[in-house]
Amino acid sequence: MVGLERRETRAANSRFRHRVTYLMGGAMTAVIYYCIVASGILLLDERVPYLCVVLAGHFVTVVIVYPWYRLIVFPGCGDSWLVGYLRFYAVGLSVLTASIVGLPILVELAGIPILLAQALIIVMTLSVSYGAHRMWTFRNRGSFGFGNPPHNLQQRGGAVKSR
């Protein structure tokens, strides 16, 4: 009984550490993205529409942060880097779509500043993004359905070990 409790505690700790690592990646992504978008908006001074700056900022950010997610947050996913990147970018396109649709509504209609509006959209899409990355982008190819451990953690010989 005690051994089972220890395993469950270790598994819960592993899930917690994984979520913290994902949140660190998300914070890093937001900081990089905001720096790129804010710099673009300030430097281009309305010569380029803010949605174009958002689009460029998104592309550059995804290229920069993908290695963190691949190596640190979701290690050992099994796909090639290119396939993983394409899946990662596809999930990112859902967040980008939310930005392209939501920003004009929040900025033009509601009068919210661009970067604040973008922050609201990111917060609203965070859990969807995490779920999509965990279950599709970086899923453990050896398991089926939604039962993937967070992430690639399996119980072996009474202990939770990372692959």
Side-chain angles (χ1 to χ4, degrees), residues 69-132:
Y69 286 90
R70 174 70 185 225
L71 296 172
I72 306 298
V73 180
F74 297 105
C77 69
D79 277 336
S80 72
W81 273 66
L82 179 60
V83 169
Y85 175 78
L86 293 174
R87 287 177 180 262
F88 186 79
Y89 198 78
V91 171
L93 287 176
S94 65
V95 176
L96 179 61
T97 300
S99 294
I100 297 297
V101 171
L103 278 175
I105 294 169
L106 295 174
V107 172
E108 308 298 331
L109 297 178
I112 298 174
I114 296 168
L115 294 177
L116 178 57
Q118 184 65 75
L120 293 171
I121 291 169
I122 288 172
V123 168
M124 291 186 302
T125 60
L126 181 66
S127 61
V128 172
S129 175
Y130 174 74

Side-chain angles (χ1 to χ4, degrees), residues 6 10 20-21 38 54 73 77 84 95 129-130 140-141:
R6 284 185 188 152
R10 280 186 241 162
V20 168
T21 305
V54 165
V73 180
C77 69
V95 176
S129 175
Y130 174 74
N140 181 347
R141 302 295 181 236

